[in-house]
Amino acid sequence: MENNKKIQIFDTTLRDGEQSPGASIAPERKIIIARQLAKLGIDVIEPGFAVSSAGEFAAVQQISRELQQVEIAGFARAVKGDIDAAVRATADAARRRLHLFISSSDIHLSHQLRKSREEVIRIARDMVAYGKQFVDEIEFSAMDSTRSGRDFVIQLVEAVIEEGATIINLPDTLGYAMPDEMIELFRAVRKEARGGESVRYSAHCHNDLGMAVANSLAAIQGGATQIEVTVNGIGERAGNCSLEELVMAIETRRDHLKAETNIRIGEIYETSRIVSRTMNFPIAYNKPIVGRNAFQHESGIHQDGLLKNRNTYEIMDPEAMGISRSMIVLGKHSGSHAIKHRLSDFGIEPNDEQFKAIYTRFKEVADGQKIVTDNELIRIAGDMTKTQPDPYVLVDLLVHAGMQRARTATVTVRENGQGSEKSYMAMGAGPLEAVILAIQQAIPAAAEFEDLELHSLSTGEDAFGEAAVSVVYNGERFRGSSVHKDIILAAAQAYVSACNQALMSANAVRKPDQRQQTAN
Ligand code: KIV
Ligand code: ZN
């Protein structure tokens, strides 16, 4: 029987993650992310820094009141005013802890705090004792502990344990540590600090050298039973330990780590998307687990292996994490087997002659651009087989943008059942909004517009842009994408494609298990 160690996941996306340059969220919107974190199965949520503003205080209070199934951490410097705010803001949580921190490295002590080690120990003692009057569970963080010297960390930890700290967090604040140092630090503190065996341990690793996940796993080996993470690894500078990477490492290498978490991995992708969208923070294409390319394979040899058996080139099942994207990117390296497979995903089964024509045309298109989107493949198949699977075709687009006049878009679409072409005009705050509103008129049965992502596929003024649009229809999500040098046209094509997919799904044109498929 498996006897795995349970690792608690402490999420600080809404506190440390929000300190990411570029990531921002209005305090009143934090609840959207917090609800999803609860759904994901997070053990402890740190919703913000209550003392920092009235809005932050209200957000921490709202999350504490609503999410009664999750433990809430009230974050505070070792200062009475911070502690009072954190205690008040979390007062209605069903379970809560106070998370207090002070720096422990000489660099911070002399240049930032301007205090001696003795003074820091005294402040830490006093503030833990002060907080303990209000809250039983006290997490104490020795900030920059990996650059503080082990002896002083042990002294500080002994002092706070004596005053009632119940969880000791040893942050690698600057992402400086090496994994073997992390193991040793945790082992030494646990063993050598007086009372060290009576408390729980936590790691909080930053990613400056790309080792936040490795160092967090090392901390587990050293005795930590809690890891502090952020969704998509967002956070100060290079970010924090990424939730999805850590959890999937534990899940995938359970045999080696002998550990497990309470995370519902089926919610991982949705959580990542919600955080990225709500905090306006894009995800790198090659980001493990949740990046667009994380489960996509372009090489013909890999594609061939995957189609025979997924385990040949994948160590995780993306669908288990809620990622229903296609695992194969079609491009110039794709073989006929992969293209046939993708066509059949869309319910298109050409005869040999038709397939030959599709394949030849596909290669021509693929030679000119790196990837061929599903949208384009369907169009090629339609042209070559003289069938047109798209219910709507975008025929023309005219956009006015600029400073002095209204931004307008006129779209012309052909409805295939009717053969007629109609034009619709709309105004928007910008040209993209105008395009979306015009398409909504043109395709009245269209699914609810959910999201638009724009990416430049290279640099320079002649770069191709990629647009991906997701829509929700009958509770299901559909994504359309398109690549073009004109990014506004790409957005329009992607939106029409997403609507077409939704409408085709209603007519059962596509196989049910291929719904929610994301285009390339
Ligand atoms: O990085 C860090 O040291 C922190 C602590 C305050 C927990 O965020
Ligand atoms: Zn941090």
Side-chain angles (χ1 to χ4, degrees):
M1 205 184 75
E2 277 187 297
N3 196 9
N4 292 323
K5 174 156 109 171
K6 182 68 88 175
I7 303 300
Q8 284 222 313
I9 301 296
F10 174 119
D11 184 276
T12 184
T13 305
L14 297 172
R15 197 276 299 170
D16 217 352
E18 215 231 339
Q19 290 169 217
S20 278
S24 63
I25 181 167
E28 62 276 14
R29 302 194 74 213
K30 284 190 166 188
I31 188 72
I32 301 170
I33 292 178
R35 284 185 189 131
Q36 180 61 28
L37 292 174
K39 209 165 157 195
L40 178 68
I42 292 292
D43 300 289
V44 187
I45 294 179
E46 186 162 71
F49 191 16
V51 79
S52 66
S53 73
E56 275 288 287
F57 184 95
V60 176
Q61 191 168 54
Q62 183 188 16
I63 291 167
S64 303
R65 285 181 176 161
E66 186 179 314
L67 299 180
Q68 296 279 299
Q69 70 275 45
V70 188
E71 185 175 344
I72 306 292
F75 183 69
R77 289 168 298 188
V79 172
K80 276 190 182 167
D82 284 27
I83 296 173
D84 292 342
V87 168
R88 276 190 293 117
T90 57
D92 296 330
R95 277 176 304 126
R96 65 168 167 167
R97 70 174 63 166
L98 185 59
H99 179 193
L100 285 182
F101 78 96
I102 194 164
S103 282
S104 53
S105 67
D106 285 340
I107 302 176
H108 284 203
L109 265 55
S110 57
H111 298 291
Q112 194 180 14
L113 296 183
R114 297 184 198 280
K115 298 210 183 309
S116 66
R117 288 181 160 189
E118 291 67 35
E119 282 174 294
V120 164
I121 290 187
R122 186 186 49 73
I123 294 168
R125 269 188 187 280
D126 290 352
M127 291 304 106
V128 170
Y130 181 71
K132 192 79 182 175
Q133 300 172 82
F134 313 110
V135 183
D136 286 338
E137 196 84 276
I138 308 273
E139 173 170 334
F140 175 81
S141 289
M143 188 170 169
D144 205 15
S145 59
T146 52
R147 297 195 305 161
S148 301
R150 197 175 294 173
D151 291 348
F152 182 58
V153 173
I154 290 173
Q155 258 182 291
L156 185 58
V157 166
E158 280 178 350
V160 295
I161 292 176
E162 246 175 55
E163 300 300 334
T166 49
I167 301 158
I168 300 299
N169 184 33
L170 301 176
D172 184 29
T173 305
L174 275 304
Y176 176 76
M178 291 287 147
D180 57 341
E181 293 172 331
M182 285 301 275
I183 302 180
E184 283 314 309
L185 178 66
F186 278 80
R187 279 194 185 145
V189 174
R190 271 178 64 208
K191 207 161 131 229
E192 291 169 34
R194 220 171 325 114
E197 297 287 1
S198 64
V199 294
R200 289 186 282 148
Y201 288 86
S202 174
H204 174 113
C205 298
H206 280 265
N207 205 30
D208 299 65
L209 292 172
M211 288 195 288
V213 174
N215 282 334
S216 301
L217 294 173
I220 292 174
Q221 283 180 273
T225 54
Q226 173 181 283
I227 302 296
E228 305 195 359
V229 296
T230 59
V231 176
N232 300 331
I234 63 171
E236 285 278 6
R237 309 179 309 280
N240 288 57
C241 175
S242 142
L243 180 150
E244 51 286 346
E245 292 174 31
L246 179 93
V247 167
M248 288 316 297
I250 293 176
E251 184 78 19
T252 309
R253 295 309 311 275
R254 196 181 282 212
D255 61 318
H256 182 78
L257 296 164
K258 309 265 181 275
E260 62 188 25
T261 71
N262 290 323
I263 296 300
R264 295 178 196 106
I265 63 167
E267 292 293 329
I268 281 183
Y269 187 60
E270 184 67 6
T271 310
S272 161
R273 303 278 308 161
I274 288 178
V275 168
S276 170
R277 269 208 308 269
T278 318
M279 298 180 86
N280 299 315
F281 202 85
I283 300 167
Y285 283 170
N286 63 344
K287 167 96 174 61
I289 320 294
V290 292
R292 189 188 76 166
N293 292 356
F295 294 98
Q296 295 198 326
H297 306 263
E298 207 205 326
S299 122
I301 295 170
H302 288 208
Q303 293 186 352
D304 179 56
L306 278 160
L307 292 172
K308 288 176 176 142
N309 183 331
R310 174 176 252 155
N311 292 329
T312 50
Y313 290 96
E314 273 182 357
I315 57 168
M316 292 168 268
D317 176 4
E319 280 166 30
M321 289 167 270
I323 304 169
S324 54
R325 70 179 67 196
S326 161
M327 62 184 181
I328 285 176
V329 179
L330 296 180
K332 64 178 178 188
H333 303 119
S334 304
S336 59
H337 195 186
I339 296 168
K340 252 191 200 147
H341 191 269
R342 178 65 56 86
L343 286 170
S344 87
D345 286 348
F346 285 93
I348 302 170
E349 308 282 355
N351 61 32
D352 287 352
E353 203 184 319
Q354 287 170 328
F355 182 73
K356 233 164 131 186
I358 293 171
Y359 189 62
T360 309
R361 178 74 192 124
F362 173 90
K363 287 285 176 184
E364 283 164 13
V365 173
D367 264 348
Q369 57 192 56
K370 179 126 179 70
I371 56 174
V372 179
T373 64
D374 286 350
N375 201 8
E376 285 162 314
L377 178 64
I378 292 171
R379 191 157 299 125
I380 294 169
D383 289 349
M384 298 302 147
T385 57
K386 303 278 181 283
T387 59
Q388 177 48 268
D390 286 354
Y392 288 91
V393 176
L394 181 66
V395 177
D396 198 11
L397 172 67
L398 180 68
V399 172
H400 283 294
M403 292 168 71
Q404 309 293 344
R405 62 174 79 86
R407 286 86 178 174
T408 61
T410 306
V411 298
T412 304
V413 295
R414 185 171 60 243
E415 198 175 337
N416 270 320
Q418 321 233 320
S420 58
E421 282 181 16
K422 290 193 184 133
S423 297
Y424 299 84
M425 205 258 255
M427 269 168 46
L432 280 169
E433 191 187 10
V435 166
I436 287 159
L437 294 175
I439 293 174
Q440 275 165 357
Q441 293 177 53
I443 309 180
E448 191 189 324
F449 175 84
E450 188 192 47
D451 195 18
L452 163 67
E453 282 173 43
L454 301 175
H455 302 283
S456 174
L457 294 180
S458 58
T459 53
E461 68 276 8
D462 60 345
F464 277 97
E466 184 198 37
V469 172
S470 53
V471 299
V472 177
Y473 190 64
N474 289 341
E476 281 185 77
R477 179 173 296 125
F478 298 85
R479 259 165 78 89
S481 71
S482 183
V483 175
H484 204 282
K485 282 192 178 172
D486 176 345
I487 193 69
I488 297 182
L489 178 56
Q493 287 173 335
Y495 188 19
V496 172
S497 161
C499 292
N500 279 336
Q501 288 180 46
L503 294 169
M504 285 194 288
S505 87
N507 295 331
V509 169
R510 295 171 62 188
K511 294 176 185 172
D513 61 346
Q514 292 304 322
R515 290 174 190 176
Q516 282 201 38
Q517 172 122 31
T518 54
N520 294 325

